[in-house]
Amino acid sequence: MKIYGFVLIFVSILTSKINSQDVNYNGMVIPGAVSQPTNPIKITLFYESYCPFSIKFMLQQLYPVTMKYSKLLVLDLIPFGHCKVQQRKNGMYDFKCQHGEKECYGNRVHACVIQQGVDKGNAKVVMALTCLMNYNYQDMEVKRCLEKSNLSWDRHKLCMLRDATTLEVAYGKRTHENVPEVKYVPFVIFNDTYNHHLEEIAVNNLEAAVCELFGPNKPDTCFNYNLI
């Protein structure tokens, strides 16, 4: 059965022995990061596992913003980018990716981490994905990143054998059918509505874009931030 739905991963805050409204980010406790009620912001990200611009965005923008605002975000991550997929007569699929076969494999690894995150939380998923982007997706490296993020290696191996191709076909369909066309990566959409101005800001300053979208009910951390 082909899966064409997208995976929405609802973010859970990292647990620690601190106040429930505090966030432990990079060893630093950020007080009141989710202390004010607001509607969650949905971030849809089209990206590639080996694209240097995607890697930079994930490491420098998505990771810190997810750690700080985890309960206030819904992430919709789509690891496909400029790949092409073709179905053979026997029903099997062939993928060609911009950065070669290594990227096709890396995208499948990402797809399985994202699938596992459905019931594990986005903070853990983003931690795992950004960890992986520092390596070459060898099994021991993947296992290390998953365990570091409290995700299951056994569950991941099963996904790679059973579900990874189907997930990537679905991500390819979403990428190719997106309006507007995904001409580059990273390609960022907020709340299911493309805004070129916000995307331009987000690529270099995701926190500013997110805080702007929170509107009047911004979390405390946004008030100490230089907004748009």
Side-chain angles (χ1 to χ4, degrees):
M1 177 180 180
K2 297 181 180 179
I3 302 173
Y4 293 129
F6 59 84
V7 180
L8 284 180
I9 309 163
F10 290 87
V11 183
S12 63
I13 197 167
L14 291 175
T15 57
S16 58
K17 294 182 180 179
I18 57 178
N19 185 284
S20 61
Q21 292 185 342
D22 295 344
V23 176
N24 190 323
Y25 163 56
N26 203 24
M28 176 179 65
V29 175
I30 303 171
V34 293
S35 62
Q36 296 189 8
T38 188
N39 292 325
I41 302 299
K42 179 182 175 182
I43 302 174
T44 299
L45 173 64
F46 295 86
Y47 73 101
E48 297 169 346
S49 60
Y50 269 88
C51 166
F53 302 107
S54 294
I55 294 171
K56 180 180 178 181
F57 180 81
M58 295 278 283
L59 295 177
Q60 298 182 9
Q61 302 297 329
L62 188 65
Y63 176 81
V65 168
T66 300
M67 297 304 108
K68 287 180 71 173
Y69 301 99
S70 56
K71 263 194 172 180
L72 303 178
L73 301 176
V74 176
L75 299 190
D76 178 21
L77 306 177
I78 306 169
F80 191 83
H82 297 298
C83 297
K84 297 180 180 180
V85 57
Q86 184 173 7
Q87 187 174 20
R88 303 179 201 166
K89 292 181 179 180
N90 62 4
M92 303 293 287
Y93 290 92
D94 293 318
F95 295 88
K96 291 185 179 180
C97 299
Q98 184 177 16
H99 298 93
E101 174 55 33
K102 64 180 183 180
E103 183 166 77
C104 293
Y105 183 78
N107 288 347
R108 291 196 293 273
V109 171
H110 278 237
C112 284
V113 173
I114 293 167
Q115 183 194 56
Q116 186 172 165
V118 170
D119 57 6
K120 294 296 184 181
N122 252 10
K124 292 182 179 181
V125 171
V126 171
M127 287 176 66
L129 295 179
T130 52
C131 175
L132 289 167
M133 284 179 154
N134 288 301
Y135 299 104
N136 295 314
Y137 301 95
Q138 299 298 315
D139 282 352
M140 289 305 298
E141 298 167 346
V142 175
K143 185 175 186 290
R144 187 184 305 115
C145 288
L146 290 171
E147 291 178 346
K148 184 178 179 181
S149 306
N150 294 317
L151 297 176
S152 169
W153 169 240
D154 289 336
R155 185 171 171 183
H156 179 79
K157 288 190 295 181
L158 181 61
C159 174
M160 290 295 289
L161 290 172
R162 186 184 62 186
D163 301 326
T165 297
T166 303
L167 291 170
E168 274 300 287
V169 170
Y171 285 137
K173 181 176 175 63
R174 284 200 61 200
T175 301
H176 293 143
E177 293 182 354
N178 189 75
V179 178
E181 180 183 353
V182 179
K183 294 183 178 181
Y184 51 84
V185 290
F187 190 87
V188 187
I189 298 174
F190 294 100
N191 296 330
D192 296 320
T193 302
Y194 180 71
N195 183 309
H196 182 66
H197 172 67
L198 275 178
E199 186 198 29
E200 283 190 324
I201 293 169
V203 169
N204 295 304
N205 197 337
L206 179 60
E207 185 173 16
V210 166
C211 285
E212 180 75 1
L213 287 166
F214 282 141
N217 294 322
K218 292 175 174 60
D220 291 345
T221 44
C222 281
F223 287 107
N224 297 320
Y225 197 81
N226 185 20
L227 297 179
I228 301 169

